[in-house]
């Protein structure tokens, strides 16, 4: 059943003993939603815990500061920023029993008994903010830090095209509530491990250009990762943004070796190239400006296939 | 004379034939202020031009789209984001005759007849927004692009600690007025020339660490710049942010050769180190988190002097 913010708040007020589920491979939005909602519910005198099927990267630790697990018997399961119970890993079965889902993905599968979903929201944290406002609980500094983190990370610190006036308005309110935005932004967007830095350098040393620099490709073989200490999947994921940032590049390709003989291509583009269309040719998909596909082949074959497809796409816009 | 927003608006309404001066080495804030105010005044039927003593970097061209120079005799000079007429280069004498100055620098020298200055504002563009609101002119898409650019660039896309609720609130309004924020943010914060990329790689290949990685130093000798085509001062300036972004680094040093035998050190720090204090030892200065100083010496001497001073500062916090 699709519900609105007022009904979600009513459900939360009338019940108790909540377990909040955050999705696997957690990001700032799902964690920000989970811990903000957990804090709001506890401040109302409710029992609430928030859990994630995967380990939490250290950089997010500030969000659960002073939030020890409570002992109680779970009565109601809530999923936040979880479009599909498949994204809950080993907690999938818990997700299948969800009483409430709060999410902003258009792909939400409506698995929960009550679904509050707003695909036009940049971050699920904006929707949790609406719910917390409807609950009329105070937003303290820690809760503000959580909600700000969700919005900032899902909008690329207000850089991406999904950023709306509402994203900025809520950020303004979070600062007024005491959110430590500069420290959060430094940790989320500027801080790099030495491993990340080394990876970026090695990757960029091997960059290849095609079609007068309109197509750029970087590759991340397993052997490269094995030689860099202190590197995590977050660091490897961030590489995908690099080739597209170079002036003149219409489509940036990152080709990662997932395991021996399996390569994942991640594409990023500007206004002119439809990445999803290119990736669908190889059984992949995604969004217009960001998509991916996989190859079970040699590196050379994968490279030739994806580069040729991108060159063809770039040549097409040249003749418009 | 210090005036308020209402008085600035009254002055602008009652007079005509404005020449708006933007500071040398122009940034997004001075240009955003200048062209936004120029657009607002023209929309009121006034004559107005905005000029800058230095060439405008190409990436800012969208701000003066459809804004050809008007022919008229200047009657009133306005300076925007100009703290001191020294910052006007060869236009200094024009600045000395300014009727109005709109600025947000605490260091403003109050050179103009009327001074509207708000040091608590993150960007002068926020103050120009106040003035445009007081003028009750419509903010069209182009004006919104200018004001948004000023705020976004001076706050590091809302990342820095100077960002206030007001910065976000005005950004929200600018999006509602049609500002093309995603394209602006891409051009301002993500896009890198191939030269910039090569510079970053070379600089990081030579990074040195001291005091268990708490001090990091990168150097930019003239010979490095000579070998990189397509590089500008903006690219070189951006390097200063890199060493401080590395995990564990308390103070990042960038040592640039300005000319044979003259080196400029730029320091950046987190919460623990006072960069201005360190730089003052060498006749420099700046802010707590960002400061600079110069050395007339060999590279080795300059490096030893600034690194030793930073090591000492880092050892001090170790014993707190």
């Amino acid at each position: 059943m699709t519900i609105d913010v007022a009904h979600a708040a009513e459900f939360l007020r009338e019940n108790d003993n909540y377990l909040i589920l955050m999705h696997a491979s957690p990001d700032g939005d799902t964690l920000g939603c989970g811990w903000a909602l957990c804090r709001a519910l506890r401040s109302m005198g409710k029992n609430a815990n928030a859990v994630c099927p995967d380990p939490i990267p250290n950089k997010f630790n500030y969000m659960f500061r002073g939030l020890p697990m409570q002992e109680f018997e779970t009565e109601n399961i809530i999923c936040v920023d979880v479009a599909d119970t498949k994204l809950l890993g080993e907690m999938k079965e818990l997700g299948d029993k969800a009483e409430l889902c709060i999410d902003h993905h258009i792909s939400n599968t409506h698995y929960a008994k009550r679904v509050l979903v707003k695909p036009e929201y940049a971050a699920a944290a904006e929707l949790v903010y609406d719910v917390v406002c409807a609950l009329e609980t105070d937003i303290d500094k820690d809760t503000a830090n959580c909600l700000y983190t969700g919005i900032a990370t899902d909008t690329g610190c207000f850089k991406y095209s999904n950023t709306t006036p509402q994203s900025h308005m809520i950020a303004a309110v979070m600062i007024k509530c005491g959110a430590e935005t500069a420290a959060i932004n430094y940790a989320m967007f500027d801080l790099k491990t030495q491993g990340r830095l080394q990876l970026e350098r090695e990757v960029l040393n091997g960059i290849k250009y095609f079609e007068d620099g309109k197509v750029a490709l970087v590759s991340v073989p397993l052997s490269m990762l094995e030689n860099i200490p202190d590197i995590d999947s977050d660091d490897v994921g961030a590489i995908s943004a690099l080739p597209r940032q170079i002036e003149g590049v219409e489509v940036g390709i990152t080709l990662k070796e997932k395991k021996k003989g399996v390569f994942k291509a991640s594409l990023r583009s500007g206004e002119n190239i439809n990445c999803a269309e290119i990736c669908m040719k190889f059984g992949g998909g995604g969004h217009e400006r960001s998509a991916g596909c996989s190859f079970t082949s040699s590196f050379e074959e994968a490279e030739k296939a994806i580069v040729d497809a991108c060159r063809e796409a770039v040549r097409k816009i040249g003749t418009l």
Side-chain angles (χ1 to χ4, degrees), chain A:
Chain A
M1 179 177 59
T2 302
I3 60 168
D4 62 16
V5 169
H7 281 96
E10 192 187 330
F11 169 79
L12 293 170
R13 256 192 303 262
E14 289 179 358
N15 292 280
D16 200 349
N17 298 316
Y18 297 102
L19 180 67
I20 303 165
L21 305 183
M22 309 182 282
H23 66 68
S25 302
D27 58 18
D29 196 24
T30 199
L31 299 175
C33 287
W35 286 317
L37 188 58
C38 186
R39 289 174 187 279
L41 291 169
R42 288 193 190 178
S43 78
M44 295 162 65
K46 306 280 187 187
N47 290 325
N49 285 320
V51 295
C52 177
D54 279 341
I56 311 298
N58 286 335
K59 66 175 180 183
F60 295 121
N61 284 356
Y62 62 92
M63 286 200 276
F64 59 88
R65 226 171 15 199
L67 206 64
M69 289 292 276
Q70 290 182 328
E71 298 251 339
F72 61 87
E73 205 164 319
T74 295
E75 287 180 16
N76 294 287
I77 291 174
I78 307 171
C79 296
V80 286
D81 196 40
V82 180
D84 188 318
T85 54
K86 275 192 264 181
L87 304 170
L88 287 167
E90 61 186 35
M91 293 181 176
K92 184 186 178 306
E93 283 180 23
L94 288 171
D96 288 333
K97 292 182 237 162
E99 292 288 336
L100 173 63
C101 169
I102 302 176
D103 185 29
H104 71 131
H105 292 94
I106 196 159
S107 55
N108 190 289
T109 60
H110 288 247
Y111 55 86
K113 239 184 230 170
R114 296 165 194 80
V115 180
L116 174 60
V117 62
K118 301 265 183 193
E120 68 276 21
Y121 279 33
E126 297 180 9
L127 195 45
V128 170
Y129 169 78
D130 286 351
V131 171
V132 171
C133 287
L135 289 171
E136 294 176 17
T137 65
D138 276 346
I139 297 178
D140 64 8
K141 188 185 77 172
D142 290 316
T143 308
N145 280 341
C146 292
L147 293 176
Y148 178 83
T149 301
I151 298 169
T153 52
D154 259 26
T155 59
C157 208
F158 311 96
K159 248 183 349 192
Y160 303 153
S161 58
N162 64 348
T163 310
T164 67
Q166 171 177 279
S167 315
H168 279 290
M169 300 290 273
I170 302 175
V173 176
M174 293 306 100
I175 296 176
K176 287 183 188 168
C177 292
E180 297 150 302
T181 57
I184 292 171
N185 294 331
Y186 178 69
M188 296 296 126
F189 306 110
D190 280 346
L191 191 64
K192 293 180 182 184
T193 61
Q194 296 203 16
R196 161 84 170 266
L197 204 68
Q198 190 182 334
L199 178 65
E200 286 189 11
R201 269 157 55 193
E202 293 195 19
V203 155
L204 290 173
N205 281 334
I207 194 166
K208 293 182 192 174
Y209 296 100
F210 306 89
E211 295 290 322
D212 291 329
K214 294 198 182 82
V215 177
L217 175 134
V218 298
S219 49
V220 188
L222 283 174
S223 58
M224 185 184 282
L225 299 179
E226 281 158 10
N227 289 322
I228 302 176
D230 177 31
I231 192 97
D232 64 25
S233 61
D234 227 36
D235 296 322
V236 179
I239 293 295
S240 306
L242 295 183
R244 163 65 190 131
Q245 290 177 1
I246 300 161
E247 193 173 39
V249 172
E250 293 279 355
V251 53
I253 311 166
T254 305
L255 201 54
K256 287 172 213 157
E257 188 176 16
K258 302 303 282 183
K259 55 184 185 181
K260 205 81 202 150
V262 179
F263 297 88
K264 166 90 193 290
S266 300
L267 269 59
R268 297 284 184 277
S269 70
E271 285 171 31
N272 299 316
I273 302 282
N274 187 330
C275 293
E277 216 168 74
I278 297 173
C279 290
M280 280 192 284
K281 289 182 188 172
F282 303 104
H287 307 281
E288 277 190 32
R289 306 284 159 256
S290 163
C293 55
S294 289
F295 296 89
T296 304
S297 68
S298 70
F299 173 79
E300 290 70 22
E301 286 163 335
E303 182 187 54
K304 188 175 184 323
I306 192 68
V307 167
D308 282 353
C310 289
R311 295 178 72 159
E312 195 191 321
V314 161
R315 278 197 295 261
K316 263 189 204 154
I317 58 164
T319 58
L320 286 182

